[in-house]
Amino acid sequence: MKKNNVTKQTMPYLILLMVILGTLVFYNMGQTKINKINYDKLISELSKDTVESIEVTPKSNAGVYYITGKLEGYGKNEEFRVNVPLSEAVLDKILSYADNNEFEVKTNTNPENSSLVTILVNVVPFVLLIGATFFLFTRISGGNKNSMDFGKSRAKLSEDGGRVRFTDVAGLNEEKEEVAELIDFLKNPKKFQKLGARIPKGVLLVGPPGTGKTLLAKAVAGEANVPFYYISGSDFVELFVGIGASRVRDMFKQAKQSAPCLIFIDEIDAVGRQRGTGLGGGHDEREQTLNQLLTEMDGFGANEGIIIIAATNRPDVLDPALLRPGRFDRQVTVSLPDQKEREAILKVHARDKIFDNDVNLENISKRTPGFSGADLENLLNESALLAVRRNKKAITMDEIDEATDRVLMGPAKTSRKITDKEKKLVSLHEAGHAVIGLKLEDANEVHKITIIPRGMAGGYTMMLPKEEKISIATKSELLASITGLLGGRVSEELYFGEISTGASDDFSRATRIARSMVTEYGMSDLGPVQLEHKSEGVFLGRDYTNNTRNFSDTVALEIDQEVRKIVNDCYKKATKILKDNEKLVKLLSDTLIEKETLTKEEIDELVNTGKLSAKKEETEESVEIKETKEIKEEKIKKTKTKEKKETEK
């Protein structure tokens, strides 16, 4: 397949090379060496009988005879040329030599014949070459007629906005209300102008990836009865300086002709980054594009009736001039959905899927905090793929549970061979996490424990908040999180008699929380002072040389001591809890070795009764065996009936 693609890509160039070489060869073959002589020289050669042939063409407009011919010793592509006065006497004299010397004489009666041949020989090959070059490069560029229109806008116009409507966007009620106001203004501007209100010129949609920013913009396009232009921020930036600015001008020029209208710019951070940043200076092309965008949005010229909607997940890198009032007047934060919004999103993506009766979307929404809309769509899609793979007629909770684990941790590595020692170690480690979650008051609720390897983890304990709330955590909740993370190592040390590398990720997360408590949240003996701040990534030119360490070496030592103190206190607390609940740790560990996975209901049953009730549930294998037996019995029954009928006949 790749070989065929390479051949298709290189073929036009090979054809073009052959055309050029053929034209050059043809042109060189048609070239003739011309030796210019005068009339006396011609008469002298005629007297010597060295002329082999001549061709006479009258040029009445120039008053001369145009004579060409060959002399003895000339090559194949060599001839002489002479102009003689347009006189019958001169022509008769030349023809008399021809009669005596018997050489070939050709007389052209059409004076334009020679010129036409000259044009055909010298001009037509170049015309063909230019035409072939244009045709081939048009094919190479994919037949794009606008391949040379570098400065033209790449924004695409959608008259009807597509098929997405607000009903297709689950949740985001406040966000939909904000953007719906723009549509209302475009439809009925007098309602706003009556009270002197000015509609925002630009709305910036900000939020994590997958929360529905682009989907919300599509819904705006679907609801609006005005032209809707959409473009990506990367479509403005080109290699050549000035192209991006030209495209911005052309986009607004088209928009003015269609006003009132909407323009949607996706991933605007590709072109809207701060100016003058970057090691070694800024990016001239991007900065010129941004300058033109700023001018078009709010400069000397007024763009009445044009509203811009842009989306980004990096508002911190945008230029301040882009975010000021008069340009992007309003920022709409599209955050991760809460439990009710997740349920509504699941209902939207479950429209075309078949679910078993035991599937409850409300329960799924409660078990997926922190999932974005894209994650939830992927969750249901993965569960549908698993159901097809297992030859089921409907999606059950088994597929949804497995899909949840796949989205969070990756596919299960069931083929990997695990030793008994490793299995016991992992089971004790995960049991330690679970017991801390079960016995510590402010810890998260344990929903699932498994020792089946997934991704880089040998097993994991799923712990979810007892009730969903906004992103505010108390000191006791943070300490409980650290204690829960350390529970795995403590359990290994107490009941396995040896420690392993399995707790490295737990230590990393616990240390990060403890350091944030000391340096950001003011939850230590150092007092309510912020010594460090979060940085999601280095923005070259702005953050590279920015010193986030606003403290002395003495304070740095105190920070380290406070972090160590928090972690050590939590470690001691985890040790006490696990020592007091030794039987529960070993019970969970032994059950995990036997069953490998425990659900919330099974964990609660173990905590309350100390054992699992023997439930006679049909496994998939037993159901399959049962179905096979029934099919065989049915076949035997049909065979006997058939034989009986044949016997009666």
Side-chain angles (χ1 to χ4, degrees):
M1 184 64 71
K2 291 183 177 179
K3 189 174 180 181
N4 293 335
N5 291 336
V6 172
T7 305
K8 289 180 180 179
Q9 292 175 1
T10 57
M11 185 60 69
Y13 294 100
L14 294 175
I15 295 174
L16 179 61
L17 180 62
M18 292 173 62
V19 170
I20 293 173
L21 293 175
T23 304
L24 292 175
V25 170
F26 175 77
Y27 185 75
N28 290 329
M29 287 177 62
Q31 289 294 309
T32 303
K33 183 180 179 182
I34 304 298
N35 298 319
K36 292 186 178 181
I37 61 176
N38 54 26
Y39 177 69
D40 294 335
K41 175 69 173 176
L42 175 61
I43 298 300
S44 173
E45 295 296 338
L46 288 169
S47 302
K48 295 177 184 179
D49 195 15
T50 57
V51 178
E52 294 182 349
S53 64
I54 61 173
E55 182 177 351
V56 182
T57 304
K59 296 284 186 179
S60 57
N61 55 347
V64 296
Y65 283 112
Y66 181 77
I67 299 176
T68 59
K70 283 184 172 296
L71 299 177
E72 291 181 357
Y74 274 17
K76 185 177 180 181
N77 293 327
E78 187 179 3
E79 63 181 24
F80 67 82
R81 183 180 297 170
V82 60
N83 294 333
V84 300
L86 189 65
S87 170
E88 293 294 336
V90 173
L91 183 60
D92 292 340
K93 185 176 182 180
I94 294 172
L95 294 176
S96 64
Y97 280 107
D99 294 336
N100 296 330
N101 299 336
E102 296 182 352
F103 58 83
E104 183 182 357
V105 177
K106 183 179 179 182
T107 304
N108 293 326
T109 56
N110 183 6
E112 301 299 327
N113 187 42
S114 180
S115 300
L116 183 60
V117 172
T118 303
I119 292 172
L120 290 174
V121 171
N122 294 289
V123 177
V124 170
F126 289 100
V127 173
L128 293 174
L129 177 61
I130 293 170
T133 304
F134 178 78
F135 173 75
L136 289 173
F137 274 103
T138 302
R139 294 295 299 273
I140 292 169
S141 62
N144 183 10
K145 297 179 180 179
N146 299 321
S147 58
M148 303 300 289
D149 295 338
F150 295 110
K152 295 294 183 182
S153 170
R154 298 293 176 89
K156 298 178 181 178
L157 175 62
S158 176
E159 293 291 349
D160 58 354
R163 299 178 181 177
V164 182
R165 298 292 185 268
F166 279 154
T167 53
D168 300 315
V169 183
L172 304 179
N173 295 324
E174 293 80 7
E175 292 82 353
K176 285 192 284 189
E177 185 178 342
E178 292 288 329
V179 294
E181 189 178 60
L182 305 178
I183 302 171
D184 193 18
F185 173 80
L186 293 171
K187 292 180 178 179
N188 188 14
K190 292 183 180 180
K191 183 172 71 172
F192 295 85
Q193 294 168 356
K194 185 177 180 180
L195 295 177
R198 178 183 63 81
I199 200 70
K201 291 187 177 180
V203 176
L204 184 65
L205 303 178
V206 178
T211 50
K213 300 183 294 295
T214 306
L215 182 65
L216 187 59
K218 289 181 179 179
V220 173
E223 296 288 342
N225 291 324
V226 294
F228 184 91
Y229 293 90
Y230 56 97
I231 190 172
S232 172
S234 59
D235 287 332
F236 291 110
V237 183
E238 281 286 355
L239 173 66
F240 307 105
V241 176
I243 296 299
S246 175
R247 288 177 178 173
V248 172
R249 286 192 295 270
D250 189 63
M251 181 180 70
F252 276 89
K253 181 181 177 182
Q254 293 179 26
K256 287 176 185 177
Q257 295 172 356
S258 304
C261 66
L262 290 165
I263 298 175
F264 174 62
I265 305 176
D266 199 8
E267 304 296 345
I268 195 173
D269 51 278
V271 71
R273 288 175 174 251
Q274 280 191 21
R275 291 165 292 181
T277 57
L279 298 178
H283 189 294
D284 288 338
E285 164 62 3
R286 191 181 67 239
E287 290 190 6
Q288 285 196 23
T289 306
L290 175 59
N291 290 338
Q292 188 63 44
L293 182 61
L294 296 174
T295 304
E296 293 289 347
M297 288 187 70
D298 187 23
F300 279 102
N303 289 320
E304 297 294 338
I306 300 176
I307 297 175
I308 298 179
I309 303 175
T312 181
N313 49 29
R314 289 297 309 273
D316 56 309
V317 305
L318 296 180
D319 195 278
L322 197 62
L323 303 177
R324 73 158 176 83
R327 290 191 175 123
F328 282 104
D329 306 82
R330 184 180 296 176
Q331 288 192 28
V332 178
T333 302
V334 186
S335 55
L336 292 171
D338 59 16
Q339 188 266 320
K340 289 184 178 179
E341 290 176 331
R342 289 197 298 274
E343 184 180 355
I345 292 170
L346 287 169
K347 287 180 180 178
V348 170
H349 294 301
R351 288 174 182 172
D352 57 343
K353 294 178 175 63
I354 302 173
F355 291 94
D356 194 61
N357 295 329
D358 65 336
V359 175
N360 189 324
L361 296 180
E362 183 180 358
N363 292 339
I364 298 172
S365 66
K366 291 178 180 178
R367 295 169 50 187
T368 51
F371 275 50
S372 66
D375 292 331
L376 294 171
E377 188 277 333
N378 188 37
L379 170 65
L380 293 185
N381 185 61
E382 286 288 343
S383 62
L385 293 174
L386 285 169
V388 173
R389 191 181 304 170
R390 295 173 179 178
N391 296 321
K392 290 189 176 182
K393 296 180 179 179
I395 302 170
T396 65
M397 282 303 299
D398 291 337
E399 284 74 47
I400 292 176
D401 287 337
E402 174 66 19
T404 305
D405 294 339
R406 290 172 71 93
V407 171
L408 290 174
M409 305 293 294
K413 299 179 180 179
T414 53
S415 61
R416 178 180 292 180
K417 186 178 180 181
I418 304 174
T419 62
D420 294 338
K421 181 180 178 181
E422 187 178 9
K423 202 169 186 179
K424 184 178 180 181
L425 175 64
V426 175
S427 66
L428 284 170
H429 182 101
E430 299 305 330
H433 287 308
V435 171
I436 298 294
L438 291 168
K439 297 300 180 180
L440 195 58
E441 183 180 354
D442 294 311
N444 289 335
E445 194 173 27
V446 181
H447 277 255
K448 186 178 182 179
I449 316 172
T450 180
I451 59 172
I452 299 174
R454 289 181 182 274
M456 299 298 293
Y460 77 96
T461 302
M462 181 187 291
M463 301 176 70
L464 302 176
K466 294 176 182 176
E467 56 181 0
E468 197 164 347
K469 56 183 181 178
I470 57 176
S471 57
I472 295 178
T474 62
K475 182 178 179 180
S476 59
E477 289 172 344
L478 293 175
L479 292 174
S481 297
I482 297 173
T483 306
L485 289 168
L486 298 175
R489 166 56 68 86
V490 174
S491 181
E492 291 177 12
E493 190 175 0
L494 289 176
Y495 304 116
F496 192 73
E498 194 175 354
I499 57 177
S500 70
T501 60
S504 60
D505 184 60
D506 298 332
F507 293 159
S508 174
R509 292 160 61 190
T511 306
R512 196 181 309 124
I513 295 172
R515 189 170 186 87
S516 296
M517 290 175 65
V518 176
T519 61
E520 294 180 42
Y521 309 142
M523 295 179 177
S524 70
D525 293 339
L526 294 182
V529 181
Q530 188 179 51
L531 302 170
E532 295 176 347
H533 62 269
K534 288 183 179 179
S535 179
E536 294 183 358
V538 175
F539 180 22
L540 295 182
R542 190 192 68 189
D543 299 332
Y544 191 76
T545 58
N546 186 21
N547 184 14
T548 58
R549 178 176 167 175
N550 301 318
F551 46 82
S552 63
D553 292 339
T554 304
V555 176
L557 177 61
E558 293 177 355
I559 291 172
D560 293 339
Q561 291 173 345
E562 288 293 325
V563 171
R564 190 175 291 109
K565 179 184 175 183
I566 291 173
V567 174
N568 288 338
D569 289 346
C570 291
Y571 196 89
K572 291 176 183 177
K573 192 171 185 178
T575 304
K576 183 178 183 306
I577 293 172
L578 294 182
K579 280 184 177 179
D580 294 342
N581 296 275
E582 179 180 355
K583 290 184 178 179
L584 181 58
V585 173
K586 291 184 177 180
L587 175 63
L588 290 173
S589 175
D590 294 340
T591 310
L592 278 171
I593 292 174
E594 181 184 352
K595 290 181 64 66
E596 293 189 336
T597 300
L598 292 175
T599 63
K600 185 179 185 303
E601 293 76 15
E602 292 172 331
I603 295 168
D604 292 340
E605 188 177 356
L606 284 171
V607 173
N608 296 328
T609 64
K611 62 179 181 178
L612 290 178
S613 58
K615 296 179 181 179
K616 296 181 180 180
E617 295 180 351
E618 290 182 333
T619 62
E620 290 182 18
E621 187 176 356
S622 63
V623 171
E624 195 172 312
I625 293 171
K626 183 180 177 182
E627 289 178 352
T628 306
K629 288 181 178 179
E630 289 177 352
I631 292 170
K632 286 182 178 179
E633 289 175 358
E634 185 68 25
K635 284 184 178 179
I636 293 170
K637 189 176 180 181
K638 288 181 178 179
T639 305
K640 288 181 178 179
T641 305
K642 188 177 180 182
E643 290 176 352
K644 186 178 180 181
K645 287 181 179 179
E646 289 178 352
T647 305
E648 290 176 353
K649 288 181 180 180

